[in-house]
């Protein structure tokens, strides 16, 4: 099989890398390694399945069978890349939605706490002002 396809764009982000030997987030690096290994496993599976598919055509000359293998593997990897990109996009949309919901809940909670604090202060101050 000729050369590997590149891993999906969304699985290999380069943003946030420290310049000049800064601290590295181990979780990010582990996730990067996991993504790389998952992609390599997908490439190996695509190549294996491409060989199995091309073996169904024993009458093809070797060059044509190899071309069929390459086309099959490339098509499968292109599809896998699209699936990963769609999943990453969905995760990003969900994360944005959850962040917005969290901000909304925190704002409501802060407003409730402030209201209760002001009410308690008023109940403490008003009777003292009425007595005096």
């Amino acid at each position: 099989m000729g050369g590997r396809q590149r891993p999906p764009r969304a699985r290999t982000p380069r943003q946030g890398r420290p310049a000049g030997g800064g601290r590295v987030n181990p979780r990010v690096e582990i996730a990067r390694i996991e993504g790389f290994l998952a992609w390599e496993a997908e490439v190996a599976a695509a190549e294996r399945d491409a060989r199995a598919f091309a073996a169904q055509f024993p009458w093809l000359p070797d060059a044509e069978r190899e071309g069929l293998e390459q086309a099959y593997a490339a098509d499968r990897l292109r599809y896998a890349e699209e699936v990963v990109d769609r999943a990453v996009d969905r995760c990003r949309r969900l994360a944005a939605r959850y962040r917005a919901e969290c901000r909304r809940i925190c704002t409501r909670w802060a407003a409730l706490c402030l209201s209760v604090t002001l009410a308690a202060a008023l109940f403490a101050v008003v009777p003292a002002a009425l007595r005096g």
Side-chain angles (χ1 to χ4, degrees):
M1 237 11 75
R4 296 205 187 301
Q5 295 260 333
R6 70 169 178 79
R9 288 179 307 280
R11 301 298 288 168
T12 58
R14 297 288 181 214
Q15 303 95 355
R17 277 213 167 188
R23 287 185 54 153
V24 175
N25 185 343
R27 290 182 183 167
V28 171
E29 292 304 314
I30 289 172
R32 217 174 252 139
I33 291 168
E34 286 175 343
F36 173 78
L37 293 175
W39 183 252
E40 288 299 308
E42 184 63 33
V43 169
E47 290 174 348
R48 182 191 63 237
D49 293 347
R51 279 190 297 277
F53 178 74
Q56 297 175 10
F57 307 100
W59 61 87
L60 287 176
D62 289 342
E64 288 183 23
R65 194 174 312 121
E66 186 174 319
L68 181 62
E69 286 178 24
Q70 289 175 353
Y72 182 99
D75 187 55
R76 177 162 163 181
L77 292 174
R78 196 172 19 262
Y79 176 75
E81 184 178 81
E82 291 170 3
V83 168
V84 169
D85 288 343
R86 281 194 306 267
V88 169
D89 288 343
R90 173 80 174 136
C91 288
R92 287 181 178 152
R93 283 194 309 272
L94 284 174
R97 187 169 124 199
Y98 292 148
R99 277 193 301 272
E101 185 68 16
C102 185
R103 277 193 300 273
R104 187 181 66 78
I105 290 170
C106 287
T107 302
R108 283 185 175 181
W109 182 249
L112 176 69
C113 290
L114 183 60
S115 300
V116 168
T117 302
L118 288 175
L122 282 175
F123 284 128
V125 171
V126 169
L130 291 177
R131 275 185 265 161

